[in-house]
Amino acid sequence: MGETHRQNQQIDAAVYRILDANLDRAREGLRIVEEWCRFGLNSTSLTEECKQLRQAIAVWHSSQVRAARDTPNDPGTDLTHPNEEHRSSVAQLLRINLARVQEALRVLEEYGKIVDPEMGAACKQLRYRTYTLESSLLGHQRQQKLWRSRLYLVTSPHDNLFGVVEAALQGGLDIVQYREKAADDVTRLERAEKLKQLCQRYSALFIVNDRVDVALAVNADGVHLGQQDVSIGFARQLLGTDRIIGRSTTNLDELQRAIAEGADYVGVGPVYETPTKAGKAAVGLDYLRSAARQVQIPWFAIGGINVDNLEAVLSAEAERVAVVRAIMEAENPMLMTQYFVSQLSRVQTLRSTGSSTHHVS
């Protein structure tokens, strides 16, 4: 009888240690996320949600649970992994800590049932709330990146696709759209996955052309739709609210309709004739000026834009440009990207100070 009692006490102590460690882990992870919501995003709502989650978890951190802590004899304190010593970006830091919180809450949900069924149920609901927080946070992050973005590369088939894209990313590229009409789905998925990983490494947005299913399969940041593709509303149902949806437009009617349907950004063009949009007449610079006056979401001038006509495009009040051949066919994609970035940055600086931008080169 005494031996059984002793074994039960040991089991109870182990369970309490598990609860204590995971309550700490969940609260610490949330605090890391909360600091970015507060100071990085200046988001009152996301900061408040992190705070409420921390407080709801703290309710279960009783003195009895804390008393079971035995840090000197915890073998886990000496365990580490090389990946824990480096964070490549804020986005990676947030993903890692949100995953840590969710894992901890899952442990608390299961072991909490042994101590108090209400604890198990509460931690289950808290875990679901962190999934919603993650979606809101990633959506907020993506939107912030989109608004900051100035240079957008649309890929075309290339023997050194990944080398060109990485060079452009090294040059300061903001967004990559994977566009390849002729590839089979297996190839398309493989290339999209690798491009997404490159974009993550350089903290750039990754967009898939046309294919909502491919965007979902590789966890892309969003999708770009042409006028003949699925509706923005349908894409939104599949992608959710946290991903980016863009739409190509060639006139003011299409532009206004895209905005009304909930596009996060629009392409405005083709400004000049381009083989990428064979058979489509150039819309010219006046469409850019009209977009500048009417559009309150990010918009990108696109279509035949290169070093020779960039000044004219920027003088027509464009602040963001999307290119294909200018970078994909460049002898040095990184230097070409740096040139575009420098010109776009100069225009942004001039406009923020109220200076003229008619001569930007």
Side-chain angles (χ1 to χ4, degrees):
M1 190 75 175
E3 181 64 25
T4 301
H5 179 68
R6 197 160 41 248
Q7 288 177 345
N8 287 338
Q9 283 184 319
Q10 290 174 341
I11 291 171
D12 289 344
V15 169
Y16 282 127
R17 286 178 65 194
I18 290 168
L19 295 177
D20 177 62
N22 282 279
L23 285 162
D24 276 340
R25 188 174 293 123
R27 293 169 68 187
E28 289 166 0
L30 279 167
R31 189 55 186 254
I32 291 168
V33 174
E34 182 181 331
E35 294 301 281
W36 181 251
C37 293
R38 180 182 175 187
F39 296 106
L41 301 178
N42 297 313
S43 172
T44 302
S45 61
L46 290 175
T47 303
E48 183 61 28
E49 176 62 3
C50 289
K51 184 177 180 180
Q52 288 183 9
L53 284 167
R54 281 195 301 107
Q55 292 173 341
I57 292 169
V59 167
W60 299 102
H61 217 161
S62 66
S63 57
Q64 188 176 13
V65 170
R66 291 177 186 275
R69 187 175 303 178
D70 186 13
T71 304
N73 296 312
D74 183 355
T77 58
D78 294 326
L79 298 178
T80 186
H81 189 280
N83 289 344
E84 289 295 304
E85 299 173 3
H86 177 70
R87 297 286 182 265
S88 62
S89 65
V90 171
Q92 185 197 40
L93 179 148
L94 294 172
R95 281 196 299 272
I96 287 170
N97 279 281
L98 282 164
R100 181 176 291 155
V101 173
Q102 290 157 6
E103 290 169 359
L105 284 169
R106 180 63 175 147
V107 174
L108 291 168
E109 177 186 340
E110 289 301 315
Y111 283 93
K113 294 173 184 176
I114 297 173
V115 176
D116 184 343
E118 288 187 13
M119 183 180 184
C123 289
K124 180 179 181 179
Q125 294 307 312
L126 289 170
R127 181 163 55 87
Y128 291 151
R129 280 176 64 181
T130 63
Y131 294 146
T132 302
L133 171 65
E134 182 175 22
S135 294
S136 300
L137 183 57
L138 292 179
H140 201 106
Q141 288 276 100
R142 288 179 176 125
Q143 289 296 331
Q144 282 214 329
K145 279 188 183 180
L146 175 63
W147 278 92
R148 289 196 301 264
S149 296
R150 292 291 178 268
L151 184 60
Y152 187 141
L153 172 64
V154 181
T155 69
S156 59
H158 197 287
D159 290 340
N160 187 25
L161 173 66
F162 306 118
V164 170
V165 171
E166 183 162 19
L169 288 166
Q170 290 170 340
L173 186 66
D174 298 306
I175 305 177
V176 174
Q177 180 192 137
Y178 172 50
R179 183 178 189 271
E180 189 167 17
K181 300 291 187 180
D184 61 76
D185 281 356
V186 172
T187 301
R188 190 179 275 116
L189 282 167
E190 289 174 350
R191 290 175 179 168
E193 177 62 35
K194 189 164 182 178
L195 287 171
K196 184 205 73 172
Q197 292 173 2
L198 279 174
C199 288
Q200 283 186 337
R201 189 182 307 165
Y202 292 93
S203 295
L205 291 170
F206 177 61
I207 305 294
V208 173
N209 179 266
D210 293 352
R211 296 286 297 271
V212 177
D213 56 338
V214 174
L216 282 169
V218 302
N219 195 25
D221 293 303
V223 69
H224 183 87
L225 304 172
Q227 286 294 316
Q228 306 306 314
D229 294 325
V230 299
S231 71
I232 292 171
F234 180 73
R236 184 69 71 195
Q237 285 182 344
L238 297 175
L239 291 171
T241 58
D242 62 310
R243 296 182 203 268
I244 292 169
I245 299 177
R247 175 76 93 181
S248 298
T249 69
T250 60
N251 56 61
L252 286 175
D253 286 343
E254 291 177 354
L255 183 65
Q256 291 164 353
R257 186 162 59 249
I259 294 170
E261 291 176 359
D264 295 298
Y265 75 87
V266 288
V268 175
V271 182
Y272 302 101
E273 288 187 7
T274 170
T276 306
K277 295 291 184 181
K280 286 196 174 181
V283 298
L285 299 174
D286 285 342
Y287 184 31
L288 302 187
R289 297 187 183 96
S290 297
R293 290 191 296 269
Q294 297 188 30
V295 180
Q296 302 301 314
I297 63 173
W299 61 274
F300 295 82
I302 185 170
I305 299 171
N306 55 43
V307 294
D308 297 322
N309 57 36
L310 179 61
E311 181 179 354
V313 170
L314 297 179
S315 295
E317 301 183 59
E319 295 182 347
R320 299 174 175 88
V321 300
V323 298
V324 185
R325 290 175 298 153
I327 290 177
M328 293 302 300
E329 298 179 9
E331 186 174 336
N332 190 322
M334 184 173 72
L335 286 178
M336 182 61 72
T337 302
Q338 289 174 334
Y339 172 78
F340 273 94
V341 169
S342 68
Q343 295 303 308
L344 288 160
S345 297
R346 183 183 299 184
V347 166
Q348 184 180 15
T349 300
L350 289 171
R351 287 178 182 164
S352 66
T353 59
S355 303
S356 171
T357 60
H358 289 295
H359 301 286
V360 296
S361 61

